């Protein structure tokens, strides 16, 4: 069994069995990362191109390491956001990538739908590493992987996602992923940062953060961007922190063994108190490691490369 | 030059009658309407099984000339009109330079006279440069041939200026056309705000962005006594506002586009930029409300908002693409498939919204079949199914979300001033 689509643009249309396959494949991949020599020949001779129209060292390096651990060659194209605003960026880049014979492309782009546009344009598989406020499927998959690893299951868990849901591609991918796997997703954040109709995704909306995190098994805290305040979407960081910041007091409302997650980078003292970020319930560093494992699984499955035996040993 | 249109079903919204009659055209005018007319020296067009209507009028198109000739020209745009069954179009002033003075209005009319396939009536800008700061010379433009005023996609945000524009337009006896959009509420939006925009991660344009301006302009029209026409109504709330205003006697009319009664915001999934229009495609409930508004007469006019763009401009990320789709060559098919075949409108009602009603909003003597009227005739084949193929368009624009769509009902023949300009999709 493999993935049915050529690309991974989002989790909205990925069936639960395929999500499970990705998570299952990521387990042996994580073993590779733990080895002394972190390299298997699985994707030798293959090329993975990462195209980042938005700076994100964390995600880019995660994909590059994943490719390197599988022996693929990697190239990064750092496309400036200035070329995006000129409206000539993506199509030109697509032509270049096709000409170079890339076997897989990882795209980060500030605009929703960019990954889909690229996927339509080129023959190589495309992994969406975040497109505007649309989706960021590999981040959600690493969230699912982390929770499943810690809790042993996803079904029946209560996942609270707190913060700027409106602009969060992570939140959207998380909602699709967690609800498909049988978890309950609860959302809370400033009313101006909760998008219209989000409840139709199957997630539940809570006006008060206290209700949203009550008995939750996981609290996933989203990064709040100061530019949203400049856009007038909320009055100030101090007030945000008071209304929606996660501190030790609030954390007590969740289940005693609740996991604290954050897609990073964190604003310590704004959306998350430092003692929570570094506390025993935090799995934020685990998420980073698991990110590489999940991305190895995605590269493997989408290139259809190698065989299972090669990964195992 | 004499033509006898023989054997068709004549739909005349002027008389409200649908009858089997022949029409004789002579010297660019309708000479005679009657049963079994004698051909004499006239060329005979046998159109049995077809519908014979007054020439269709599209009161909301963008011809792009002067300034944006890569998108469309008066030549290509009026050919697209003829192919779509339209004998007359009114063009919006957002050209470059903006049609905000008599010289440009005259230029458009002259160019259309020389190069146009259909009749062209320019709409003048409300404010200079459509900047929303000071009134354009509306009286001068009327003299030059402007038939209404609008800043269309650059809506007048200043209510004080809009009020003065309405006072002035009322004095001139012309209509103000409102593209109702509060730019503060719509800022940065690429599609309707709702579940779909949330899922797709695109910034939304709320219904209120349209409705607050519809409400404002209705209040101003009520106060000034100006005739107001609401362009491309897209929300249930707007339909209701117009309905209530009409009920209390406000001089307000409204139009809807074929795409707003044929598609909802679900069409944006997949990020096809030809679904990016302003106002945006709304929800299924809004589409139903718009159809109700058409059926009960709240919405008077069907207009396409034909907005051609080059392929390069549209073949980009959704947020970067310009708003607009081409509508002239799919309008009749969509009206027949979505409205007439489904029983939303009778053929007579549909034809009224494409002829006499827009003529009355613009105050032009078109849109009827009475003797001595201009020999502008559209013949529609209501039975033929066809598939939308943008490669066949006469418009330079290919930006349609209806590619491959099967439609029933097509413009069969377009006659402008007594001359056949289109026959079975072929421009003559
Ligand atoms: Zn408009």
């Amino acid at each position: 069994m493999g993935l049915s689509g050529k690309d991974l643009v989002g989790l909205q249309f990925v069936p639960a069995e395929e999500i499970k396959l990705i998570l299952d494949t990521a387990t042996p991949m994580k073993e590779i990362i733990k080895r002394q020599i972190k390299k298997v020949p699985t994707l030798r001779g293959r090329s993975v191109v990462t195209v980042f129209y938005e700076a994100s060292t964390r995600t880019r390096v995660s994909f590059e390491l994943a490719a390197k651990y599988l022996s693929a060659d990697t190239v990064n194209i750092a496309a400036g956001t200035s070329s995006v605003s000129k409206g000539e960026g993506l199509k030109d880049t697509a032509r270049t990538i096709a000409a170079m014979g890339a076997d897989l492309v990882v795209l980060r782009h500030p605009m929703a739908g960019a990954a889909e546009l690229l996927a339509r344009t080129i023959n190589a598989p495309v992994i969406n590493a975040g497109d505007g406020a649309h989706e960021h499927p590999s981040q959600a998959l690493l969230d699912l992987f982390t929770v499943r690893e810690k809790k042993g299951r996803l079904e029946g868990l209560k996942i609270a996602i707190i913060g700027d849901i409106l602009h969060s591609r992570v939140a959207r991918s998380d909602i699709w992923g967690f609800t498909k796997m049988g978890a309950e997703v609860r959302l809370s954040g400033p009313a101006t940062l909760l998008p219209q109709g989000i409840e139709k995704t199957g997630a539940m909306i809570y006006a008060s953060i206290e209700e949203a995190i009550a008995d939750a098994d996981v609290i996933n805290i989203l990064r709040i961007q100061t530019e949203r305040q400049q856009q007038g979407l909320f009055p100030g960081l101090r007030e945000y922190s008071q209304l929606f910041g996660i501190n030790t007091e609030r954390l007590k409302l969740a289940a005693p063994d609740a996991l604290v997650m954050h897609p990073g980078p964190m604003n310590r003292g704004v959306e998350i108190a430092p003692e929570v970020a570094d506390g025993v319930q935090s799995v934020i560093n685990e998420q980073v490691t698991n990110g590489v494992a999940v991305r190895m699984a995605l590269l493997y499955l989408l290139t259809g490369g190698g065989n299972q035996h090669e990964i195992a040993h | 030059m004499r033509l006898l249109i023989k054997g068709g079903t004549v739909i005349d919204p002027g008389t409200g009658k649908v009858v089997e009659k022949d029409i004789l055209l002579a010297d660019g005018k309708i000479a005679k309407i009657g049963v079994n007319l004698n051909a004499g020296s006239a060329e005979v067009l046998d159109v049995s099984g077809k519908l014979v209507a007054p020439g269709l009028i599209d009161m909301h198109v963008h011809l792009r000339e002067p300034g944006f000739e890569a998108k469309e020209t008066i030549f290509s745009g009026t050919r697209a009109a003829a192919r779509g069954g339209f004998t007359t179009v009114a063009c919006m002033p957002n050209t470059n330079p903006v049609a905000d003075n008599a010289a440009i209005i005259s230029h458009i009319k002259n160019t259309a006279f020389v190069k146009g396939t259909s009749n062209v009536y320019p709409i003048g800008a409300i404010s200079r440069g459509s900047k929303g700061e000071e009134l354009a010379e509306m009286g001068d433009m009327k003299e030059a041939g402007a038939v209404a005023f609008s800043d269309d996609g650059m809506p007048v945000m200043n209510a004080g200026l809009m009020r003065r524009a309405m006072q002035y337009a009322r004095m001139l006896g012309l209509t103000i056309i409102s593209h109702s959009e509060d730019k503060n509420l719509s800022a940065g939006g690429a599609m309707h705000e709702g579940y779909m925009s949330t899922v797709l991660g695109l910034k939304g344009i709320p219904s209120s962005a349209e409705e607050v301006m519809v409400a404002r302009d209705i209040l101003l029209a009520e106060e000034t006594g100006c005739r107001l026409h609401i362009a491309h109504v897209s929300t249930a709330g707007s339909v209701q506002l117009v309905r209530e205003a009409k009920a209390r006697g406000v001089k307000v009319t409204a139009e809807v586009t074929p795409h707003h009664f044929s598609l909802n915001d679900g069409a944006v999934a997949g990020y096809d930029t030809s679904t990016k229009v302003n106002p945006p495609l709304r929800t299924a409930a809004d589409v139903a409300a718009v159809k109700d508004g058409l059926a009960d007469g709240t919405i008077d006019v069907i207009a396409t908002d034909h907005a051609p763009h080059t392929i390069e401009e549209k073949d980009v990320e959704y947020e970067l693409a310009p708003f607009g789709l081409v509508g002239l060559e799919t309008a009749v098919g969509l009206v027949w498939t979505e409205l007439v075949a489904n029983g939303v409108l009778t053929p007579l009602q549909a034809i009224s919204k494409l002829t006499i009603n827009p003529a009355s909003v613009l105050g032009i003597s078109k849109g009827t079949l009475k003797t001595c009227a201009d020999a502008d005739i559209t013949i529609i084949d209501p039975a033929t199914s066809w598939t939308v193929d943008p490669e066949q368009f006469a418009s330079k624009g290919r930006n349609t979300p209806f590619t491959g769509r099967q439609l029933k009902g097509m413009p069969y023949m377009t006659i402008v001033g007594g001359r056949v300009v289109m026959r079975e999709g072929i421009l003559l």
Side-chain angles (χ1 to χ4, degrees):
Chain A
M1 187 195 165
L3 300 180
S4 49
K6 170 178 84 86
D7 315 287
L8 182 68
V9 167
L11 290 189
Q12 188 186 1
F13 300 109
V14 178
E17 316 85 76
E18 293 191 17
I19 291 176
K20 185 170 177 298
L21 173 70
I22 296 165
L23 303 183
D24 291 347
T25 311
T27 308
M29 296 297 181
K30 192 169 176 183
E31 291 304 312
I32 296 170
I33 303 173
K34 287 183 185 158
R35 292 180 197 170
Q36 192 102 51
I37 296 168
K38 305 171 180 54
K39 213 163 181 86
V40 291
T42 314
L43 295 185
R44 193 162 52 204
R46 306 290 187 104
S47 57
V48 172
V49 178
T50 57
V51 186
F52 276 58
Y53 281 87
E54 229 177 34
S56 170
T57 311
R58 172 185 295 251
T59 304
R60 181 173 57 76
V61 169
S62 183
F63 270 107
E64 280 185 14
L65 281 178
K68 289 196 159 87
Y69 292 165
L70 296 173
S71 300
D73 297 315
T74 63
V75 183
N76 173 243
I77 299 177
T81 36
S82 60
S83 59
V84 177
S85 53
K86 270 188 258 155
E88 53 188 38
L90 194 56
K91 280 280 170 172
D92 292 340
T93 306
R95 277 179 215 110
T96 311
I97 294 163
M100 291 191 304
D103 293 305
L104 187 142
V105 180
V106 176
L107 179 72
R108 162 67 67 95
H109 197 283
M111 288 177 189
E116 193 149 335
L117 179 62
L118 185 66
R120 265 205 307 267
T121 314
I122 64 173
N123 292 322
V126 172
I127 297 178
N128 179 10
D131 62 329
H134 176 222
E135 285 221 45
H136 190 357
S138 64
Q139 173 70 40
L141 289 164
L142 77 87
D143 291 345
L144 268 72
F145 184 86
T146 306
V147 173
R148 195 178 76 161
E149 193 180 46
K150 294 284 171 191
K151 296 283 177 192
R153 66 190 165 106
L154 290 167
E155 209 177 335
L157 296 181
K158 301 183 184 77
I159 318 288
I161 304 175
I162 308 299
D164 180 1
I165 314 291
L166 179 64
H167 300 94
S168 177
R169 49 200 170 207
V170 176
R172 283 170 182 70
S173 290
D174 269 345
I175 291 169
W176 300 126
F178 279 111
T179 53
K180 257 178 230 211
M181 301 311 281
E184 171 187 312
V185 175
R186 304 158 163 197
L187 307 172
S188 191
T192 48
L193 295 174
L194 287 172
Q196 291 285 314
I198 188 80
E199 68 285 350
K200 286 191 213 161
T201 58
M204 290 180 297
I205 316 291
Y206 291 86
S208 97
I209 182 173
E210 282 77 14
E211 284 174 77
I213 61 181
D215 302 320
D217 300 294
V218 175
I219 306 177
N220 196 1
I221 302 147
L222 301 175
R223 176 182 166 80
I224 191 81
Q225 288 187 304
T226 46
E227 68 182 88
R228 306 301 174 207
Q229 188 196 338
Q230 281 140 31
Q231 290 164 1
L233 289 166
F234 63 92
L237 289 177
R238 195 186 63 87
E239 183 178 289
Y240 181 86
S241 180
Q242 280 180 350
L243 287 174
F244 294 99
I246 308 292
N247 49 35
T248 32
E249 278 308 298
R250 284 204 170 118
L251 186 56
K252 284 180 192 148
L253 299 168
D257 57 349
L259 306 178
V260 171
M261 303 176 80
H262 192 296
M266 289 180 277
N267 299 304
R268 286 165 186 267
V270 181
E271 72 262 8
I272 185 165
E275 52 280 16
V276 174
D278 304 325
V280 289
Q281 288 171 259
S282 166
V283 292
I284 295 167
N285 288 330
E286 290 276 336
Q287 286 178 274
V288 178
T289 309
N290 292 339
V292 180
V294 161
R295 285 165 182 134
M296 288 168 77
L298 290 174
L299 295 176
Y300 170 76
L301 290 168
L302 283 172
T303 51
N307 58 49
Q308 205 75 39
H309 183 75
E310 274 184 292
I311 305 161
H313 290 284
Chain B
M1 176 78 185
R2 296 158 72 87
L3 273 177
L4 181 65
I5 302 166
K6 208 168 174 54
T9 303
V10 176
I11 299 180
D12 182 9
T15 58
K17 286 195 178 126
V18 180
V19 285
E20 312 281 319
K21 273 190 178 167
D22 301 342
I23 301 181
L24 180 68
L25 310 180
D27 307 320
K29 300 283 176 193
I30 294 173
K32 217 176 209 180
I33 304 176
V35 183
N36 286 327
L37 292 185
N38 203 321
S41 63
E43 182 192 335
V44 178
L45 301 171
D46 182 359
V47 296
S48 44
K50 313 277 192 290
L51 306 175
V52 181
L56 307 185
I57 300 169
D58 188 345
M59 65 171 289
H60 193 150
V61 305
H62 298 271
L63 294 178
R64 305 300 191 200
E65 185 181 352
F68 304 105
E69 286 83 357
K71 296 175 194 271
E72 194 82 287
T73 61
I74 290 170
F75 174 78
S76 65
T78 55
R79 280 165 63 86
R83 231 185 136 257
F86 292 95
T87 57
T88 296
V89 296
C91 57
M92 282 295 174
N94 61 334
T95 47
N96 184 20
V98 172
D100 64 355
N101 62 72
I104 297 178
I105 297 292
S106 303
H107 172 76
I108 292 168
K109 280 193 76 86
N110 292 339
T111 308
F113 185 76
V114 176
K115 296 182 180 167
T117 304
S118 61
N119 305 299
V120 174
Y121 290 89
I123 293 165
I126 292 172
S127 65
R128 281 180 212 270
S130 287
K131 290 200 176 98
E133 288 162 5
E134 46 186 340
L135 291 182
E137 290 173 333
M138 293 158 76
D140 241 23
M141 285 193 280
K142 183 192 175 185
E143 282 297 305
V147 290
F149 301 104
S150 180
D151 278 348
D152 197 25
M154 302 277 287
V156 179
M157 290 301 297
N158 179 333
L161 184 72
M162 191 59 149
R163 184 169 179 268
R164 289 192 290 278
M166 286 197 193
Q167 289 169 329
Y168 215 79
R170 189 199 169 190
M171 175 187 82
L172 297 171
L174 294 188
T175 298
I176 291 277
I177 300 174
S178 165
H179 166 121
S180 306
E181 176 189 355
D182 184 310
K183 289 280 188 185
N184 296 309
L185 288 170
S186 64
M191 66 175 294
H192 173 66
E193 181 179 292
Y195 173 68
M196 282 308 296
S197 65
T198 290
V199 166
L200 294 171
L202 290 167
K203 191 165 184 321
I205 299 172
S207 296
S208 58
E210 176 171 316
E211 291 157 3
V212 298
M213 290 298 258
V214 171
R216 182 199 78 172
D217 287 349
I218 283 172
L219 291 174
L220 292 175
E222 195 163 14
E223 181 186 29
T224 58
C226 177
R227 286 194 299 152
L228 170 70
H229 179 74
I230 309 290
H232 40 54
V233 163
S234 73
T235 77
S238 298
V239 175
Q240 187 56 22
L241 284 164
V242 172
R243 186 178 285 131
E244 286 163 8
K246 282 186 164 180
R248 62 176 193 270
V250 184
K251 284 183 247 167
V252 60
T253 52
E255 79 192 22
V256 67
T257 72
H259 50 276
H260 284 112
F261 63 65
S262 304
L263 297 173
N264 60 51
D265 60 347
V268 183
Y271 303 94
D272 173 3
T273 56
S274 65
T275 64
K276 184 172 174 182
V277 285
N278 189 12
L281 300 174
R282 303 286 187 182
T283 66
D286 292 307
V287 173
V290 158
K291 285 183 176 173
D292 288 346
L294 278 164
D296 73 9
T298 300
I299 298 174
D300 312 84
V301 170
I302 296 167
T304 68
D305 193 6
H306 176 80
H309 293 290
T310 64
I311 290 167
E312 292 73 25
E313 289 169 296
K314 277 286 196 180
D315 196 13
V316 293
E317 295 88 326
Y318 202 87
E319 289 170 63
L320 292 177
F323 289 100
L325 57 77
V326 287
L328 282 167
E329 290 165 85
T330 50
V332 166
L334 289 166
V335 167
W336 244 257
T337 307
E338 297 288 333
L339 302 179
V340 179
N342 292 342
V344 176
L345 297 179
T346 64
L348 177 64
Q349 287 172 319
I351 293 298
S352 301
K353 290 177 201 292
L354 287 162
T355 56
I356 196 167
N357 294 1
S360 134
V361 172
L362 299 176
I364 59 175
S365 58
K366 296 271 185 191
T368 74
L369 290 174
K370 55 176 185 284
T371 40
C372 298
D374 292 341
D376 293 346
I377 309 266
T378 299
I379 297 165
I380 293 168
D381 178 347
T384 298
S385 289
W386 58 287
T387 305
V388 178
D389 174 10
E391 293 310 310
Q392 307 290 318
F393 286 173
S395 169
K396 288 189 176 189
R398 298 285 179 269
N399 45 309
T400 174
F402 297 109
T403 303
R405 172 87 80 112
Q406 188 89 10
L407 298 177
K408 195 175 172 189
M410 63 183 290
Y412 175 77
M413 197 179 282
T414 308
I415 300 170
V416 178
R419 200 169 68 85
V420 179
V421 296
M422 186 280 286
R423 189 171 193 158
E424 293 183 73
I426 311 293
L427 290 159
L428 304 172

